[in-house]
PDB file of all heavy atoms in Angstrom:
ATOM      1  N   VAL A  37     -21.955   6.702 -52.316  1.00  0.00           N
ATOM      2  CA  VAL A  37     -20.750   6.748 -51.560  1.00  0.00           C
ATOM      3  C   VAL A  37     -19.752   5.950 -52.384  1.00  0.00           C
ATOM      4  O   VAL A  37     -19.599   4.814 -52.332  1.00  0.00           O
ATOM      5  CB  VAL A  37     -20.880   6.062 -50.169  1.00  0.00           C
ATOM      6  CG1 VAL A  37     -19.532   6.102 -49.454  1.00  0.00           C
ATOM      7  CG2 VAL A  37     -21.892   6.839 -49.369  1.00  0.00           C
ATOM      8  N   THR A  38     -18.864   6.787 -53.213  1.00  0.00           N
ATOM      9  CA  THR A  38     -18.034   6.080 -54.207  1.00  0.00           C
ATOM     10  C   THR A  38     -16.610   6.124 -53.615  1.00  0.00           C
ATOM     11  O   THR A  38     -16.233   6.905 -52.683  1.00  0.00           O
ATOM     12  CB  THR A  38     -18.026   6.904 -55.489  1.00  0.00           C
ATOM     13  OG1 THR A  38     -17.584   8.104 -55.261  1.00  0.00           O
ATOM     14  CG2 THR A  38     -19.440   6.852 -56.040  1.00  0.00           C
ATOM     15  N   LYS A  39     -15.767   5.447 -54.257  1.00  0.00           N
ATOM     16  CA  LYS A  39     -14.309   5.376 -53.865  1.00  0.00           C
ATOM     17  C   LYS A  39     -13.632   6.794 -54.048  1.00  0.00           C
ATOM     18  O   LYS A  39     -13.028   7.168 -53.033  1.00  0.00           O
ATOM     19  CB  LYS A  39     -13.508   4.373 -54.763  1.00  0.00           C
ATOM     20  CG  LYS A  39     -12.381   3.696 -54.036  1.00  0.00           C
ATOM     21  CD  LYS A  39     -11.974   2.405 -54.729  1.00  0.00           C
ATOM     22  CE  LYS A  39     -10.757   2.628 -55.593  1.00  0.00           C
ATOM     23  NZ  LYS A  39     -10.348   1.348 -56.142  1.00  0.00           N
ATOM     24  N   PRO A  40     -13.810   7.569 -55.078  1.00  0.00           N
ATOM     25  CA  PRO A  40     -13.268   8.826 -55.051  1.00  0.00           C
ATOM     26  C   PRO A  40     -13.724   9.719 -54.034  1.00  0.00           C
ATOM     27  O   PRO A  40     -12.928  10.511 -53.453  1.00  0.00           O
ATOM     28  CB  PRO A  40     -13.636   9.480 -56.490  1.00  0.00           C
ATOM     29  CG  PRO A  40     -13.889   8.185 -57.301  1.00  0.00           C
ATOM     30  CD  PRO A  40     -14.379   7.091 -56.415  1.00  0.00           C
ATOM     31  N   ARG A  41     -14.984   9.645 -53.701  1.00  0.00           N
ATOM     32  CA  ARG A  41     -15.522  10.553 -52.691  1.00  0.00           C
ATOM     33  C   ARG A  41     -14.898  10.215 -51.321  1.00  0.00           C
ATOM     34  O   ARG A  41     -14.570  11.081 -50.559  1.00  0.00           O
ATOM     35  CB  ARG A  41     -17.007  10.448 -52.642  1.00  0.00           C
ATOM     36  CG  ARG A  41     -17.681  11.189 -53.754  1.00  0.00           C
ATOM     37  CD  ARG A  41     -19.249  11.076 -53.850  1.00  0.00           C
ATOM     38  NE  ARG A  41     -19.652  11.781 -54.998  1.00  0.00           N
ATOM     39  CZ  ARG A  41     -20.897  11.687 -55.496  1.00  0.00           C
ATOM     40  NH1 ARG A  41     -21.812  11.125 -54.913  1.00  0.00           N
ATOM     41  NH2 ARG A  41     -21.290  12.481 -56.506  1.00  0.00           N
ATOM     42  N   LYS A  42     -14.739   8.939 -51.020  1.00  0.00           N
ATOM     43  CA  LYS A  42     -14.199   8.533 -49.816  1.00  0.00           C
ATOM     44  C   LYS A  42     -12.711   8.981 -49.763  1.00  0.00           C
ATOM     45  O   LYS A  42     -12.206   9.462 -48.748  1.00  0.00           O
ATOM     46  CB  LYS A  42     -14.200   7.025 -49.635  1.00  0.00           C
ATOM     47  CG  LYS A  42     -15.626   6.645 -49.127  1.00  0.00           C
ATOM     48  CD  LYS A  42     -15.597   5.187 -48.727  1.00  0.00           C
ATOM     49  CE  LYS A  42     -15.774   4.219 -49.867  1.00  0.00           C
ATOM     50  NZ  LYS A  42     -16.040   2.797 -49.475  1.00  0.00           N
ATOM     51  N   GLU A  43     -12.032   8.883 -50.896  1.00  0.00           N
ATOM     52  CA  GLU A  43     -10.637   9.283 -50.942  1.00  0.00           C
ATOM     53  C   GLU A  43     -10.351  10.786 -50.696  1.00  0.00           C
ATOM     54  O   GLU A  43      -9.445  11.189 -50.010  1.00  0.00           O
ATOM     55  CB  GLU A  43      -9.943   8.651 -52.164  1.00  0.00           C
ATOM     56  CG  GLU A  43      -9.570   7.236 -51.902  1.00  0.00           C
ATOM     57  CD  GLU A  43      -9.173   6.507 -53.263  1.00  0.00           C
ATOM     58  OE1 GLU A  43      -9.395   7.150 -54.353  1.00  0.00           O
ATOM     59  OE2 GLU A  43      -8.788   5.384 -53.174  1.00  0.00           O
ATOM     60  N   VAL A  44     -11.322  11.554 -51.340  1.00  0.00           N
ATOM     61  CA  VAL A  44     -11.151  13.030 -51.148  1.00  0.00           C
ATOM     62  C   VAL A  44     -11.318  13.329 -49.685  1.00  0.00           C
ATOM     63  O   VAL A  44     -10.718  14.164 -49.013  1.00  0.00           O
ATOM     64  CB  VAL A  44     -12.069  13.786 -52.011  1.00  0.00           C
ATOM     65  CG1 VAL A  44     -12.119  15.210 -51.656  1.00  0.00           C
ATOM     66  CG2 VAL A  44     -11.553  13.632 -53.543  1.00  0.00           C
ATOM     67  N   LEU A  45     -12.398  12.691 -49.147  1.00  0.00           N
ATOM     68  CA  LEU A  45     -12.724  12.914 -47.733  1.00  0.00           C
ATOM     69  C   LEU A  45     -11.478  12.608 -46.813  1.00  0.00           C
ATOM     70  O   LEU A  45     -11.051  13.387 -45.873  1.00  0.00           O
ATOM     71  CB  LEU A  45     -13.864  12.050 -47.234  1.00  0.00           C
ATOM     72  CG  LEU A  45     -15.279  12.592 -47.695  1.00  0.00           C
ATOM     73  CD1 LEU A  45     -16.366  11.664 -47.450  1.00  0.00           C
ATOM     74  CD2 LEU A  45     -15.665  13.921 -46.984  1.00  0.00           C
ATOM     75  N   GLN A  46     -10.800  11.498 -47.075  1.00  0.00           N
ATOM     76  CA  GLN A  46      -9.661  11.085 -46.273  1.00  0.00           C
ATOM     77  C   GLN A  46      -8.477  12.081 -46.430  1.00  0.00           C
ATOM     78  O   GLN A  46      -7.932  12.428 -45.511  1.00  0.00           O
ATOM     79  CB  GLN A  46      -9.205   9.718 -46.677  1.00  0.00           C
ATOM     80  CG  GLN A  46     -10.100   8.634 -46.057  1.00  0.00           C
ATOM     81  CD  GLN A  46      -9.939   7.274 -46.760  1.00  0.00           C
ATOM     82  OE1 GLN A  46      -9.037   7.039 -47.590  1.00  0.00           O
ATOM     83  NE2 GLN A  46     -10.938   6.413 -46.545  1.00  0.00           N
ATOM     84  N   ALA A  47      -8.286  12.607 -47.654  1.00  0.00           N
ATOM     85  CA  ALA A  47      -7.284  13.515 -47.873  1.00  0.00           C
ATOM     86  C   ALA A  47      -7.512  14.852 -47.147  1.00  0.00           C
ATOM     87  O   ALA A  47      -6.592  15.442 -46.499  1.00  0.00           O
ATOM     88  CB  ALA A  47      -7.111  13.885 -49.431  1.00  0.00           C
ATOM     89  N   VAL A  48      -8.776  15.257 -47.175  1.00  0.00           N
ATOM     90  CA  VAL A  48      -9.122  16.633 -46.488  1.00  0.00           C
ATOM     91  C   VAL A  48      -8.916  16.363 -44.979  1.00  0.00           C
ATOM     92  O   VAL A  48      -8.511  17.237 -44.247  1.00  0.00           O
ATOM     93  CB  VAL A  48     -10.577  16.942 -46.833  1.00  0.00           C
ATOM     94  CG1 VAL A  48     -10.963  18.147 -45.994  1.00  0.00           C
ATOM     95  CG2 VAL A  48     -10.565  17.431 -48.284  1.00  0.00           C
ATOM     96  N   GLU A  49      -9.309  15.185 -44.529  1.00  0.00           N
ATOM     97  CA  GLU A  49      -9.214  14.809 -43.158  1.00  0.00           C
ATOM     98  C   GLU A  49      -7.727  14.904 -42.731  1.00  0.00           C
ATOM     99  O   GLU A  49      -7.445  15.458 -41.601  1.00  0.00           O
ATOM    100  CB  GLU A  49      -9.695  13.343 -42.923  1.00  0.00           C
ATOM    101  CG  GLU A  49      -9.270  12.673 -41.712  1.00  0.00           C
ATOM    102  CD  GLU A  49     -10.165  12.912 -40.489  1.00  0.00           C
ATOM    103  OE1 GLU A  49     -10.074  14.048 -39.920  1.00  0.00           O
ATOM    104  OE2 GLU A  49     -10.998  12.049 -40.213  1.00  0.00           O
ATOM    105  N   ARG A  50      -6.876  14.502 -43.508  1.00  0.00           N
ATOM    106  CA  ARG A  50      -5.481  14.415 -43.129  1.00  0.00           C
ATOM    107  C   ARG A  50      -4.778  15.796 -43.247  1.00  0.00           C
ATOM    108  O   ARG A  50      -3.733  16.055 -42.588  1.00  0.00           O
ATOM    109  CB  ARG A  50      -4.593  13.460 -44.086  1.00  0.00           C
ATOM    110  CG  ARG A  50      -4.770  12.039 -43.687  1.00  0.00           C
ATOM    111  CD  ARG A  50      -3.687  11.164 -44.463  1.00  0.00           C
ATOM    112  NE  ARG A  50      -3.923  11.218 -45.861  1.00  0.00           N
ATOM    113  CZ  ARG A  50      -4.672  10.451 -46.532  1.00  0.00           C
ATOM    114  NH1 ARG A  50      -5.326   9.355 -45.909  1.00  0.00           N
ATOM    115  NH2 ARG A  50      -4.798  10.506 -47.897  1.00  0.00           N
ATOM    116  N   ALA A  51      -5.312  16.685 -44.059  1.00  0.00           N
ATOM    117  CA  ALA A  51      -4.685  17.949 -44.275  1.00  0.00           C
ATOM    118  C   ALA A  51      -4.703  18.816 -42.972  1.00  0.00           C
ATOM    119  O   ALA A  51      -5.734  18.912 -42.300  1.00  0.00           O
ATOM    120  CB  ALA A  51      -5.317  18.651 -45.469  1.00  0.00           C
ATOM    121  N   THR A  52      -3.545  19.561 -42.690  1.00  0.00           N
ATOM    122  CA  THR A  52      -3.632  20.488 -41.554  1.00  0.00           C
ATOM    123  C   THR A  52      -3.746  21.888 -42.052  1.00  0.00           C
ATOM    124  O   THR A  52      -3.948  22.722 -41.178  1.00  0.00           O
ATOM    125  CB  THR A  52      -2.214  20.302 -40.852  1.00  0.00           C
ATOM    126  OG1 THR A  52      -1.162  20.594 -41.814  1.00  0.00           O
ATOM    127  CG2 THR A  52      -1.957  18.856 -40.362  1.00  0.00           C
TER     128      THR A  52
END
Side-chain angles (χ1 to χ4, degrees):
Chain A
V37 178
T38 64
K39 215 160 98 176
R41 286 178 180 171
K42 281 191 277 193
E43 280 166 351
V44 169
L45 283 170
Q46 282 160 16
V48 172
E49 161 87 282
R50 280 193 296 272
T52 59

